[in-house]
Every structure is written in C-alpha cells, then in structure tokens.
Amino acid sequence: MNKSIAVLAGDGIGPEITRGAIEVLKVVGERYGHKFEFHQGLIGGAAIDQTGTPLPEETLNICKKSDAILLGAVGGPKWDKNQSHLRPETGLLQLRKKLELYANLRPVQVFKSLRDASPIRADLIQDVDLMIVRELTGGLYFGTPKGRSIQNGVETAVDTLFYEKSEMERIVKKAFELAQSRSKKVTSVDKANVLESSRMWREVAENVSKEFPDVKLEHMLVDNAAMQLIRDPKQFDVVVTENMFGDILSDEASMLTGSLGMLPSASLSMSGLHLYEPIHGSAPDIAGAGKANPIATILSVAMMLRMSFNMDKEAEAVERAVNDVLDAGFRTADIADGEKCITTNEMIHEIKAEIAGTGMISSIMAIYA
Ligand code: IPM
Ligand code: MG
C-alpha cells in the first residue's frame, strides 16, 4: 500500500522523536511491502519563528492532502510570554479544531518489564490496561468568552466551559464503541455536583448507554477519579471525559506506566483524517541531548498503522518490538531508574532492528527456533 503522512515535528524534542518514528515506519514499509511518503510541515514555535503564525495555511494543506498526521510536540520558554494567538500551543489547538479531531484516545498500558519504573506499587499496576477517551475540540479550551479585561477598574480573566449536546454525544458514543471491543465498561468522569455542563454530560452518557446494553456505565466525579487512578487503577477500562479533565487525568495515568514518555495517542475525526502524537510535551530542557524517550511517538505510529491504515500485523510488529526491547533491558533516561541508559537514537535503533528481525532478541530466537 502507498500512504502519505504529514509530519509536524514542532519544538523541543519534537524533531528527534518524529525522526525516530519516521525511521520506524520506513523499516515497517520495507518489511511488509508498503511505501510511506512523508511531508514535513511547520507548527508551533518553529512555525512562529519562520512564518509569524503557529499554524501556517501551508501546514493545514499538507495535512489535508495526507492519509494521516504525525505530530511531535509544541511549546517552549522562548514563546511563553507571547500573546495567545502567537503561542505554539495555539497552533496545535487550531489544528485539532480545524480538522475536527474530536476524539483523543490515550491508552495506558503497563509493560511488564517496567513495573518497577512506576512510582506506584507494582502489585497495584500489574496488568493495568485502560483507555482514556478525551473530548478534544470543546470545553474550556475553546469556549468563549475567553480573555482578560478590566471591569470597573478591576482586572479580570475568563475561560468558558461550553459544549453543544451533540459534541458530548459523539464522544460518549465513541467511548461505548471502544468499550465493546474491550472489557465492556465505561467510566464517565465529570463534576456533576458542581458544573451545569457536567450534569448535561451525565444525562447524555445515560442516554447513549441505552444503545449499548452490553456495556456497563459508571459515573465518577473527577476528583474521586484522580484518587481512584492511584488507589486502584485496575478498576478502569474505558474512561470518557471532557477536554480539560482528560488532559489532567492522562498525565496522571502516565505515571502508572513509569513515564510520560511512554504514552501514545490518536486524535480521531469524523472525516477519517486522524492525527497521532505522544501525550507528552516538547521538553525543551532536554532537547537535542539524546535523553528523550521516543517510545510514546513510536507507539503512536503503531496506533496510526492500526487505526488509519488497517495494518494490524504491522502495528503489532511495532508494539512487539517496543516490548522486546524493554524486556531486553534497554532504557532511556526517564525509565532507567538510575541504572545504565541509552540515548534516543540508540533506542530508535534497537526498536528498528527488532522490527527488521536483525535485533538482539530476534537473533537469539532464531538460534533456538
Ligand atoms: C496535550 C497537551 C496539550 C493540551 C497542550 C500542549 C496544548 O498538554 O496534548 O495533552 O493541553 O491538550
Ligand atoms: Mg496534556
């Protein structure tokens, strides 16, 4: 198959991790007979510096012409004091909005060999396998009014949590559909004891659940959910929630896996053009130092293979390679726990070698086969 992929590297560690993901895709292509074409586009701070805007029209066009989008990360101290329309994050938010990437899937899986890398007790996280389904184009991130003003001589700031009912319906529905192919349980997270929008969310969840009698629905308040994620993460299967709650809970959940550098994500649209990105940020403090963990981005590529291209065995090959490389003890700095670690490029190299069948583990298996 021929597939065209837009690559938006962004800022900080974005370029090094997306380069790794591209190399991985090339190996997958060689091994399984596909041709992947890559088209780079500017986004975030890099785009502001070169074009004066965080999401140039050209980038949007590159995305629209592609079969899928891979994104690195955006942001950095250089642009932190900019006004909102000139912030790197605004580029990412505009992209999500313009392409209607409403459903952000953030799977949280604990790799066996990383059980001790988590600050949470190993017995609590063993076999954790949950999916956070985060609404991505509404809520506090986009609602208006938004901004700062002086009212009667008093400085004020406002953000608005706004949702249309249909926006709630489509994301909750997506969560139920996903749950059908998993453990058939949806936890809908809200703040219905305080927020009007959450009370509507709960109603919507109840209504949608009627269409899915085989899936169990449970409601949980977001503060309790934050606590339960640490106390007993195994109770969760699919967790569905609005934009901001999902942003916060997914960073929290990443610590179950040992590092924010492990979590991939897929942002799905109705149109079929989806975006894949690690959930972590641009980590400007370690950019270019060979310390970044490329696994979240490489696992995002596995999600791309499966969800955008229907390439199941290719996706499995990438996931298996990551698993095997971790089993063999290779660690980037974030998951090394003071032990010896390898660089970003070395990690990319090991994963590629496993996919190609020339890595250490594949070779040992071949000898005993
Ligand atoms: C994420 C990030 C973004 C978000 C930022 C960079 C705008 O934290 O994807 O989780 O808040 O959505
Ligand atoms: Mg976030």
Side-chain angles (χ1 to χ4, degrees):
M1 262 198 254
N2 282 7
K3 294 290 175 192
S4 151
I5 300 163
V7 180
L8 317 183
D11 310 316
I13 59 171
E16 49 203 288
I17 54 175
T18 47
R19 194 181 344 104
I22 290 176
E23 288 178 24
V24 163
L25 277 170
K26 284 186 179 157
V27 176
V28 169
E30 279 158 27
R31 171 113 209 224
Y32 294 92
H34 305 299
K35 195 164 173 309
F36 298 115
E37 249 178 50
F38 303 95
H39 301 279
Q40 305 265 351
L42 290 166
I43 194 165
I48 295 171
D49 287 351
Q50 289 190 44
T51 70
T53 149
L55 180 66
E57 208 48 42
E58 193 192 334
T59 299
L60 205 54
N61 288 335
I62 294 173
C63 291
K64 284 181 183 160
K65 277 190 254 164
S66 303
D67 297 308
I69 306 161
L70 175 68
L71 189 129
V74 294
K78 185 174 174 193
W79 308 280
D80 265 354
K81 295 225 155 57
N82 286 10
Q83 278 186 310
S84 116
H85 71 285
L86 285 178
R87 288 187 62 96
E89 292 80 3
T90 303
L92 176 56
L93 299 184
Q94 282 175 353
L95 185 66
R96 288 173 179 169
K97 192 75 180 172
K98 291 198 167 161
L99 298 179
E100 264 202 90
L101 299 161
Y102 74 99
N104 187 214
L105 277 40
R106 299 187 156 185
V108 182
Q109 261 167 322
V110 174
F111 287 90
K112 239 194 211 118
S113 52
L114 283 189
R115 249 183 246 161
D116 292 324
S118 171
I120 313 295
R121 255 180 22 225
D123 60 312
L124 293 179
I125 58 172
Q126 192 178 345
D127 303 323
V128 159
D129 179 6
L130 61 96
M131 170 80 85
I132 296 181
V133 179
R134 169 190 177 194
E135 202 292 325
L136 202 60
T137 50
L140 275 172
Y141 278 60
F142 295 97
T144 51
K146 186 181 204 56
R148 295 174 64 152
S149 62
I150 298 187
Q151 292 176 16
N152 306 325
V154 180
E155 256 195 279
T156 67
V158 62
D159 293 285
T160 302
L161 208 177
F162 176 88
Y163 271 110
E164 287 179 14
K165 198 172 189 181
S166 59
E167 293 176 303
M168 295 182 180
E169 281 162 353
R170 66 179 177 180
I171 189 74
V172 172
K173 206 162 173 192
K174 178 56 95 188
F176 272 91
E177 283 164 9
L178 285 163
Q180 276 185 320
S181 60
R182 297 174 50 99
S183 306
K184 302 196 165 47
K185 178 178 171 190
V186 170
T187 306
S188 169
V189 171
D190 61 37
K191 187 73 183 170
N193 53 348
V194 177
L195 300 178
E196 219 36 78
S197 55
S198 282
R199 287 193 273 273
M200 183 156 108
W201 181 281
R202 225 173 240 228
E203 249 171 62
V204 165
E206 290 289 339
N207 279 337
V208 170
S209 82
K210 291 182 194 139
E211 295 167 41
F212 298 86
D214 54 331
V215 178
K216 186 169 169 275
L217 168 67
E218 157 190 283
H219 302 285
M220 198 179 278
L221 296 172
V222 64
D223 45 355
N224 183 29
M227 185 270 280
Q228 295 294 343
L229 264 177
I230 303 296
R231 194 190 72 88
D232 177 22
K234 272 181 269 190
Q235 70 183 285
F236 295 106
D237 180 26
V238 174
V239 175
V240 64
T241 191
E242 68 88 38
N243 203 346
M244 176 81 140
F245 295 158
D247 179 45
I248 298 170
L249 292 180
S250 56
D251 268 35
E252 184 192 3
S254 77
M255 288 324 290
L256 304 169
T257 72
S259 168
L260 195 52
M262 296 295 299
L263 250 59
S265 86
S267 303
L268 310 181
S269 69
M270 294 283 202
S271 75
L273 174 57
H274 309 316
L275 178 145
Y276 301 83
E277 61 169 321
I279 82 153
H280 61 69
S282 60
D285 51 323
I286 58 163
K291 289 187 185 162
N293 185 347
I295 291 180
T297 316
I298 291 171
L299 290 175
S300 300
V301 151
M303 292 185 87
M304 177 191 291
L305 290 167
R306 185 175 287 118
M307 308 193 78
S308 278
F309 305 155
N310 282 321
M311 296 181 183
D312 285 358
K313 64 175 188 304
E314 292 82 342
E316 271 157 36
V318 174
E319 287 160 352
R320 197 176 331 112
V322 169
N323 190 51
D324 289 352
V325 163
L326 291 171
D327 276 353
F330 294 108
R331 302 280 185 272
T332 42
D334 56 320
I335 45 177
D337 206 14
E339 308 273 302
K340 190 178 164 302
C341 61
I342 60 173
T343 64
T344 309
N345 284 341
E346 285 164 343
M347 180 59 96
I348 293 165
H349 173 84
E350 293 302 333
I351 293 170
K352 274 162 49 184
E354 284 315 317
I355 299 170
T358 57
M360 197 174 88
I361 304 124
S362 317
S363 311
I364 294 172
M365 306 260 275
I367 293 170
Y368 289 102

